[in-house]
DNA sequence: TTCTTCTTAAAGTTCTGCTTAATCAATGTA
DNA sequence: TACATTGATTAAGCAGAACTTTAAGAAGAA
């Protein structure tokens, strides 16, 4: 039968993106990892990854094995946790992955609350940009993933995982102070075709969302400045160089001067269409052990408070 | 993280029932297995099995780990099969577990048909008496399990497995030739209280089924002879030493002289109650690879033919 | 070009894990 | 009671697997 330790090496390499990075994470030397991969490939009689500059890429067979391997690793981790729990030991570590802007707004208060409730559990937060991270949850590298979906971006399949939406976070049109679209009323995308837009690079979620909304509305927009960081985007808007879409939860903790935000009536219809919003989800394995559901509850609480604060301030 | 090879040792030991038997199956020496178990226990800081005369028994922690370990092993086997399939290799072995009386009647024709269709696939059949075998399927030691349920016996949980009923096999009352209950008509259990019954030892499925039916009917029955083998049971009945319940499919391939079979109206109600019958199921993992569903179809065909033959002969 | 980064090759060392042989414990038998 | 049998463990030694170091090949980037 396939050696599980070798499969683990493949999983780590796939997650890390390169042999050397995986070796680093496992505290091995790079040749050790390379040798194990070679043996695994010889054992299976087919190539699992294509070596190339800047790392490796999985072949079809490699992706197939990765999917199973992630489950194996997750089950092994769960097994250990279950046995220790049965023996009365409490888990000591909870690994959390979140996209950058969640890490700045939603997560801190939940983390603080969790820390108060479980001072003995070590928390580990890492940046994971959607749509990545599902594999890390399956393999147990993450116990909990906070991810999002922007309109126009498909939600990845969550095979074998539990996914739950915790927040609908409206995307507000943000314009420099004094800009006509900032006055009371609901601006339409069609009226903003001439603006200089600020958003992420092609492929970044908010760029995709903006472009698909523009397409639906039948307008062409021009992106003048590219940044994926909403703080930077807001600074640019305050400087008067353009307009952008920013999630409401982000605006709640932003400086209050120099800009105005309005809900955007996206698409052609106006009244009939749902407002533009990103959805925020938590993802974890089935049968989560005890602290995970608790953390989910705390995140839901943080999401609820953020929603209320935002609704109060931005209507 | 937990070493998968050690977990595998635990799974093998649990399935084999003793350290030495597991060592035998893995082509290791007994001390090798013992050492791995010791290390696993030290690693987890708790006992996984109780050593005792005649083998070992799992502790609660051990059973917990076993459940996960079986999944891990099954996933590893599936992973290998999936990669080989993606590389165009066809699976070369199909392991089948069946209870004894299925092995004599239902299985042979399906096996023969499968062999014709896939001469290159090695078939392996092993005896597995219900309610055992689910763990062997989960861990991939078996690709397909043929199991049964007698009335009054609960069906085990099939966590993560696919289970499908392929046959309802009526239990007929079989009496010596000339016995009054063998005449046309539907005998009732209540009228047979004075008989000498033949069935399995306490705990054997048909014994449990008989006793629970008797209890429902409010009669006490006396078991005079104990055998779990239906061939033996039928021979005893033909010798006139008692009566018994025998599945209809078994009777189809039995000598035709010296006995009579009638459907039994079990329980107090009579007409309203379902006839006494055992149910036959196939169990396999989800995402079975190609030959498994085919074998299931062949077994269903064999079951259908057995049902038709039995219905024709015994009404 | 040279430099950097990543992977692989070769050779040596460490260390895990297996085997053999002996010991212990429980049970059944002469 | 002594003795054989079965099954698990301990101890010591050995082999092979896996890791490390060192070096070399490939493919962009400066």
């Amino acid at each position: 039968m396939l050696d599980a330790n070798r499969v683990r090496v493949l999983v780590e390499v796939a997650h890390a993106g390169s042999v050397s990075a995986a070796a680093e994470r496992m505290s091995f030397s790079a040749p050790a990892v390379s040798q194990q991969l070679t043996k695994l490939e010889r054992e299976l009689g087919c190539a699992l990854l294509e070596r190339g500059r800047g790392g490796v890429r999985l072949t079809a067979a490699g992706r197939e094995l990765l999917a199973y391997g992630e489950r194996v690793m997750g089950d092994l981790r769960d097994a250990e946790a279950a046995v220790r729990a049965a023996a009365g030991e409490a888990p000591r570590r909870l690994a959390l992955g979140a996209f950058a802007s969640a890490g700045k707004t939603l997560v801190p208060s939940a983390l603080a609350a969790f820390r108060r409730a479980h001072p003995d559990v070590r928390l580990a937060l890492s940046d994971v940009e959607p749509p990545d991270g599902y594999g890390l949850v399956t393999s147990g590298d993450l116990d909990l993933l906070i991810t999002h979906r922007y309109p126009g971006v498909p939600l990845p399949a969550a095979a074998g995982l539990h996914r739950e939406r915790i927040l609908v976070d409206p995307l507000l049109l943000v314009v420099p102070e004094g800009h006509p679209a900032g006055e009371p009323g609901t601006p339409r995308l069609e009226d903003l075709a001439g603006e200089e837009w600020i958003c992420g690079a092609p492929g970044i979620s908010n760029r995709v969302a903006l472009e698909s909304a523009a397409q639906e509305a039948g307008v062409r927009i021009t992106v003048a400045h590219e940044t994926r960081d909403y703080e930077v985007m807001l600074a640019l808007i305050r400087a008067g160089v353009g307009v952008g879409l920013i999630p409401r939860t982000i605006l709640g903790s932003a400086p209050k001067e120099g800009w105005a935000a309005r809900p955007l009536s996206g698409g052609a219809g106006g009244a009939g269409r749902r407002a533009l919003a990103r959805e925020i989800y938590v993802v974890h394995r089935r049968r989560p052990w005890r602290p995970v559901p608790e953390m989910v509850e705390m995140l839901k609480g943080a999401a609820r408070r953020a929603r209320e604060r935002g609704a109060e301030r931005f209507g």
Side-chain angles (χ1 to χ4, degrees), chain A residues 50-245:
Chain A
E50 295 158 0
R51 282 74 173 169
R53 167 73 188 171
V56 295
R57 269 174 36 86
L58 292 181
T59 64
R63 282 191 296 274
E64 191 77 38
L65 185 52
L66 174 66
Y68 284 93
E70 285 174 338
R71 263 216 304 288
V72 167
M73 296 308 134
D75 276 340
L76 277 176
R77 281 201 163 89
D78 281 353
E80 182 166 2
V83 171
R84 292 194 188 281
E89 277 182 63
R92 299 189 336 277
R93 185 187 143 94
L94 191 140
L96 203 60
F99 55 92
S101 62
K104 286 182 200 156
T105 57
L106 265 182
V107 171
S109 69
L111 245 56
F114 187 91
R115 195 180 192 73
R116 273 194 300 279
H118 300 280
D120 48 323
V121 176
R122 291 179 61 84
L123 286 168
L125 176 65
S126 58
D127 284 333
V128 180
E129 283 305 312
D132 294 340
Y134 288 83
L136 293 170
V137 176
T138 302
S139 69
D141 287 309
L142 293 179
D143 298 306
L144 190 59
L145 172 69
I146 301 164
T147 188
H148 62 55
R149 174 170 71 148
Y150 277 68
V153 182
L155 207 49
L161 297 175
H162 175 87
R163 176 169 54 198
E164 190 177 358
R165 193 175 71 184
I166 63 170
L167 180 61
V168 175
D169 191 10
L171 297 173
L172 301 184
L173 172 70
V174 182
V175 297
E177 202 164 32
H179 189 287
E183 301 304 310
T186 300
R188 299 183 311 158
L189 204 49
E190 295 89 312
D191 307 327
L192 295 159
E195 298 292 336
E196 309 246 279
W197 285 88
I198 312 170
C199 63
I204 299 294
S205 299
N206 62 12
R207 174 70 164 267
V208 175
L210 179 59
E211 286 175 340
S212 75
Q215 192 181 1
E216 278 188 36
V219 296
R220 282 187 56 85
I221 58 169
T222 60
V223 174
H225 311 278
E226 289 183 352
T227 174
R228 59 188 304 168
D229 189 309
Y230 285 121
E231 317 269 342
V232 174
M233 192 188 296
L234 188 59
L236 291 176
I237 294 169
R238 295 170 74 198
V241 300
V243 306
L245 291 177

Side-chain angles (χ1 to χ4, degrees), chain A residues 236-258:
Chain A
L236 291 176
I237 294 169
R238 295 170 74 198
V241 300
V243 306
L245 291 177
I246 301 186
R248 201 171 71 180
T249 54
I250 306 262
L251 294 172
S253 59
K256 299 188 166 46
E257 311 279 306

